[in-house]
Amino acid sequence: MAQALNAKPNAEEVPLAGSAGITVEGRYIPPPEDKDGKLWVRTTALVHADAKTLYEMWRAVESAPMWQEEIAEVRQTGDRTSHWVMRSGDKTIEWDSEILNDEPGRRIAWRSVEGDSDNAGEVIFEPAPGGRGTLVTVLQEFRMGKLASAWETVVGRNPKQAVTENLRHFKALAETGEIPRTEGQPHGPRGSGSKMKRSMYGEKVATPPGLNQRATNRAAGGGSR
Amino acid sequence: MKALCWMGKSNVEVHNVADPVLLNPHDAIIRVTSTAICGSDLHLYDGFIPTMEAGDILGHEFMGIVEETGKGVTNLQRGDRVVVPFTIACGNCEFCRKKIWSACDNTNPNAHLMEKAYGYSGSGLFGYSHMMGGYAGGQAQYVRVPFANVGPLKLDTDLPDEKVLFLSDIFPTGYMAAENAQIQPGDTVAVWGCGPVGQFAIASAFMLGAARVIGIDRVPERLEMARSIGAVTVDYAEEDVSVLTALKDLTGGIGPDACIDAVGLEAHSNELQGVYDVVKTALLMETDRSTVLRQAIQSVRKGGTVSIPGVYGGLLDKVPFGAAFGKGITMKMGQTNMHNYMKPLLRRIEKGQIDPSYIISHRITLDEAPEMYKVWRDKKEGVTKIVIDPWADGDGTRHVRDSRAETTRSRDSSS
C-alpha cells in the first residue's frame, strides 16, 4: 500500500466511540463510504472464543505477523506505541502506530503516526447474541486514492481485501490453532496463464504462518518417498 | 510421486510431481491405497467448474495409510488405515459445531473467491478448483490431508478397500440424499440418475423404509443395477416415455412422496426443454442445465420433498417455482455433511447390510486414468464406477470387468 501513501501523518482521530459498531441504539448503521481519498472497510466475524482471549490475542501486537498478511515484524516501542514493517514483494514499508483507545476485553483503536502507511482503525469484541461466541468487528481507514487501490489489487491484495482476509486468518487461528494454506503443496506443470490466475485467485499473497515455526514436525517418517 | 493433473478442458494427464509435505500442525500425509473417479470429477473434466488451473491434482475420493502426522494430530499415527472425507472441516467453527461440516468457515484458503461468486464460502474440498480451496487431490500416490484431527475415519477392520472406499463421498452423499428426502415407511421415492450416488440413494431409501423406489436413467447397465437392488426403472431415452407421465402412472396419479435429483447441472434430456438448455448454456445465458430439477418439482406429490444431492453451480432458468409453492413442497440440498455419516455407514457395511463395491465396473492404474475419464464422460464401455490403484503398474490388462457389465455390453451391441 506504499504507492499513494506519501502525505502523512494526517490520519485524524477517526475512531469515535463505538464507530466500528454495527448498531447504535437498535438501529443498523451502514459502513462509511469511500470519499476524499479515504477508503473505509468494515468487516465482521463470528469467532468461537471469549472476548477477553480474542482481545488479548489482538493486543499482543508483536504477534501480528502470525496472522496478518505481509507484516514482517512488529516491535513494541512503548505502552501504546509500536513500529510496523510490511513487506510486499520486494517493497518494504514501515510506520509507527499508536493506540488511541484501549478497553481491555472490549475495544482497541489505533492510528499510524509516522512512516509510509496512513491508516487508522478500531476493533470491537462483543458477545454474540445467544452466547454463541464473540462478534469481532473491524473498522479500518486508509488514506489512498481509488486508482492506487485498484493498482494494489492488480499487483497483490487490495488493502480493503487485506483487512477482510486478516480477520479471517485471525478467526481461523483463534478457533483452530492454524491458518488454512495450500502454498507448498505439489502440482503438475502450470500453464502460460498461471501467474495471472494466481493473482486473480489471490494466491500470490503469502498466507501468514500462524503457529507454524513452533509446530512443524517433519522428522517422523519424512525424507524421500 | 505420480499424480493425475487437470491440464485444461477435456484434458487430464499423469505427471511426476513433488511429494506432499506437512504444511500445518493438523496435517497428515496419507499414502493412497485406493482412489476413485467421481461423477463430479466429470464436471471439472468438462470445464463446468470455474477457477481450475493447469497442473491441479484431481481426486476427492480416496483412502490409505497414514505416513506422517503434524504436531496437532493426536488421534492418528503412522500406519493407521483411514478413509478421508472429501469435505475438509475444522471441527470448531459455528457450522462444525452445528454439524453442518460442509459449511465449515475455516478450511477454505480462497474463501473470498467463493464469497464473490455466491456471497458465502463453504468448506475446502480436495481437488475441486481454487474457489473450493485449491487443495491438491487424492488421485495420486500421496496426499496431504489438512485438519486430519477431524476428518479421516480410522478403520479397525480388515474389510478390503473396495468395501469402504466409497465412505469418502458417494455412499454418504447417497445416504444423506435419502435422509434429506424425509422418507416415511411406505413412501414411494423417485431417483433421477442411477450413477453411483443414485445407486446409494436408492439403497439408502430402502434402508430408511421406502416401499417403492423408482430409478430414472438412460444407461442400460445403470438401470439394470438399480433393478438388481429392487428399484422399478424408467428409461427416459426410450421412445414415447415421458418421465412425468411415468411417475403419475406409477403412483396412482399423485406423484412420488419424495424426489431425489442425483444428476445436477449437466442433465441430459431428449425433450424440448433439454434442447433449450443446451442452446442457452452455449450462449452463456444460463450456467446449469436444470431439466431434472424441473421434473422433480413438477412430479413430486403435494406437500412432498425434493432432495438434491446433484451438484449445481450457478444460475438456473425456467424453474417452476409456482408449482413448488402451490404444492407446498420441501426442498433440501447441499454438499454432504460427511462427518455425520461415515461411522454409522461403516457400521452398516460391517454388519453386511450393504456392500458398496457392487457399483465398481473398472479397476485401473493411474496411467490408465486419463483415457478412462474420456470413456466415462462418453458413457462408453459400461462404466459404472472406476477405482484406481495408484501404485499398480500397467501390465497390458486394462481393467477387470465384472460379468454384469459384460452381459450389459453384449446386449447393448445387439440392440
Side-chain angles (χ1 to χ4, degrees):
Chain A
M1 64 187 85
Q3 203 71 13
L5 292 175
N6 293 321
K8 77 286 166 185
N10 56 0
E12 305 140 29
E13 279 197 37
V14 264
L16 310 165
S19 63
I22 304 263
T23 58
V24 172
E25 288 169 0
R27 272 181 301 174
Y28 169 76
I29 306 298
E33 276 179 51
D34 296 345
K35 60 178 176 191
D36 305 330
K38 283 188 201 170
L39 299 181
W40 293 90
V41 52
R42 188 176 77 189
T43 182
T44 180
L46 171 64
V47 185
H48 272 286
D50 62 87
K52 183 172 171 283
T53 306
L54 296 174
Y55 162 85
E56 281 164 6
M57 193 172 146
W58 198 291
R59 184 65 178 79
V61 288
E62 291 197 346
S63 299
M66 280 190 344
W67 58 273
Q68 292 197 24
E69 291 179 352
E70 300 187 318
I71 300 297
E73 193 196 341
V74 180
R75 213 171 51 245
Q76 188 101 36
T77 50
D79 249 11
R80 292 191 162 211
T81 55
S82 50
H83 183 75
W84 291 62
V85 181
M86 181 176 189
R87 219 160 274 146
S88 183
D90 50 6
K91 205 157 59 183
T92 301
I93 61 172
E94 306 195 21
W95 69 92
D96 290 315
S97 182
E98 80 172 314
I99 288 176
L100 301 169
N101 206 316
D102 188 5
E103 300 170 31
R106 246 184 53 78
R107 174 170 177 250
I108 310 167
W110 65 89
R111 68 168 176 182
S112 62
V113 284
E114 193 88 33
D116 306 319
S117 176
D118 196 350
N119 71 80
E122 179 183 15
V123 58
I124 293 178
F125 307 92
E126 53 188 339
R132 296 177 183 177
T134 301
L135 295 177
V136 181
T137 306
V138 183
L139 177 72
Q140 177 117 19
E141 178 216 336
F142 301 95
R143 215 168 265 266
M144 144 188 248
K146 279 186 181 160
L147 207 63
S149 166
W151 170 248
E152 292 295 331
T153 308
V154 174
V155 298
R157 189 85 94 190
N158 175 295
K160 281 189 170 192
Q161 182 76 33
V163 174
T164 304
E165 295 310 317
N166 285 342
L167 180 57
R168 207 193 301 279
H169 300 323
F170 178 81
K171 168 183 157 76
L173 188 58
E175 289 186 334
T176 75
E178 68 177 62
I179 298 170
R181 74 192 61 245
T182 54
E183 299 154 293
Q185 68 176 6
H187 57 77
R190 293 300 194 193
S192 51
S194 143
K195 263 192 182 160
M196 202 185 75
K197 279 193 170 177
R198 279 189 63 211
S199 181
M200 260 169 53
Y201 300 162
E203 290 175 354
K204 268 175 70 182
V205 180
T207 307
L211 303 169
N212 269 353
Q213 289 93 332
R214 280 182 274 156
T216 43
N217 175 25
R218 295 267 301 277
S224 66
R225 271 194 293 269
Chain B
M1 68 164 183
K2 273 199 221 174
L4 185 92
C5 303
W6 186 92
M7 300 306 291
K9 190 180 169 187
S10 302
N11 181 16
V12 291
E13 295 170 7
V14 175
H15 285 280
N16 276 308
V17 305
D19 288 350
V21 294
L22 298 172
L23 298 174
N24 261 349
H26 298 100
D27 285 358
I29 304 296
I30 309 289
R31 179 165 57 82
V32 180
T33 53
S34 291
T35 174
I37 307 177
C38 179
S40 66
D41 286 330
L42 297 180
H43 300 320
L44 300 171
Y45 188 68
D46 289 341
F48 267 81
I49 310 287
T51 72
M52 288 297 292
E53 197 181 335
D56 287 348
I57 300 172
L58 295 184
H60 57 266
E61 297 181 0
F62 56 89
M63 61 180 296
I65 308 291
V66 175
E67 184 83 7
E68 201 180 343
T69 53
K71 204 177 181 178
V73 182
T74 51
N75 56 324
L76 296 176
Q77 299 181 30
R78 184 179 162 86
D80 283 348
R81 185 167 173 241
V82 291
V83 183
V84 180
F86 76 102
T87 56
I88 305 168
C90 80
N92 286 313
C93 69
E94 173 72 7
F95 298 99
C96 288
R97 284 163 188 242
K98 285 188 153 77
K99 311 240 173 272
I100 315 171
W101 311 86
S102 68
C104 174
D105 256 351
N106 287 324
T107 54
N108 185 350
N110 294 330
H112 62 102
L113 287 176
M114 252 187 111
E115 283 175 356
K116 271 172 205 145
Y118 293 123
Y120 72 93
S121 170
S123 75
L125 310 180
F126 289 100
Y128 215 81
S129 85
H130 289 257
M131 188 167 81
M132 307 289 189
Y135 288 103
Q139 285 165 12
Q141 294 180 315
Y142 292 97
V143 62
R144 164 192 168 232
V145 175
F147 295 98
N149 52 324
V150 179
L153 173 69
K154 197 167 140 184
L155 300 166
D156 296 311
T157 161
D158 52 4
L159 287 169
D161 278 17
E162 289 186 353
K163 288 197 178 187
V164 290
L165 173 61
F166 303 138
L167 289 170
S168 60
D169 176 355
I170 50 175
F171 185 18
T173 296
Y175 186 87
M176 186 169 111
E179 196 181 80
N180 276 349
Q182 309 189 105
I183 296 165
Q184 302 295 313
D187 274 0
T188 293
V189 179
V191 178
W192 278 256
C194 298
V197 169
Q199 294 293 331
F200 290 127
I202 292 169
S204 303
F206 280 124
M207 287 197 271
L208 294 173
R212 172 177 263 186
V213 181
I214 303 160
I216 303 157
D217 207 301
R218 61 169 176 167
V219 182
E221 55 270 21
R222 290 179 170 186
L223 291 168
E224 190 170 315
M225 202 178 265
R227 284 192 297 274
S228 79
I229 54 169
V232 173
T233 61
V234 174
D235 180 348
Y236 70 84
E238 259 175 40
E239 219 175 321
D240 301 329
V241 167
S242 150
V243 172
L244 297 183
T245 306
L247 292 176
K248 279 200 164 171
D249 290 347
L250 289 163
T251 56
I254 69 168
D257 299 291
C259 289
I260 297 177
D261 170 0
V263 176
L265 61 87
E266 284 191 77
H268 295 272
S269 165
N270 297 344
E271 292 169 33
L272 188 62
Q273 288 256 307
V275 177
Y276 168 88
D277 284 327
V278 169
V279 172
K280 253 197 140 176
T281 48
L283 294 173
L284 304 179
M285 290 168 71
E286 67 178 340
T287 58
D288 300 5
R289 301 195 299 249
S290 30
T291 304
V292 168
L293 185 60
R294 290 180 194 128
Q295 289 181 351
I297 294 171
Q298 282 172 307
S299 58
V300 72
R301 73 154 162 82
K302 290 176 273 190
T305 303
V306 172
S307 158
I308 311 166
V311 172
Y312 286 90
L315 306 176
L316 272 59
D317 199 3
K318 302 278 187 292
V319 175
F321 217 77
F325 178 84
K327 292 196 280 189
I329 68 171
T330 300
M331 294 173 79
K332 300 191 84 172
M333 65 195 88
Q335 290 286 12
T336 312
N337 295 311
M338 293 295 298
H339 304 56
N340 295 339
Y341 302 105
M342 294 174 76
K343 249 189 206 159
L345 293 181
L346 172 63
R347 253 175 246 131
R348 284 186 188 265
I349 298 170
E350 283 171 339
K351 283 184 194 156
Q353 292 176 7
I354 184 168
D355 172 5
S357 67
Y358 83 98
I359 63 165
I360 301 171
S361 60
H362 291 66
R363 297 164 177 88
I364 64 169
T365 66
L366 204 51
D367 293 319
E368 291 162 339
E371 205 198 329
M372 289 310 293
Y373 262 80
K374 188 171 185 316
V375 169
W376 197 17
R377 195 266 312 270
D378 298 339
K379 302 287 175 281
K380 288 182 181 154
E381 290 191 21
V383 174
T384 50
K385 186 70 183 180
I386 301 163
V387 173
I388 303 168
D389 176 350
W391 295 91
D393 286 323
D395 57 358
T397 55
R398 198 165 95 174
H399 46 252
V400 183
R401 194 200 309 273
D402 68 18
S403 55
R404 182 168 47 223
E406 283 295 354
T407 47
T408 304
R409 201 160 76 122
S410 51
R411 195 196 59 198
D412 254 5
S413 51
S414 65
S415 62

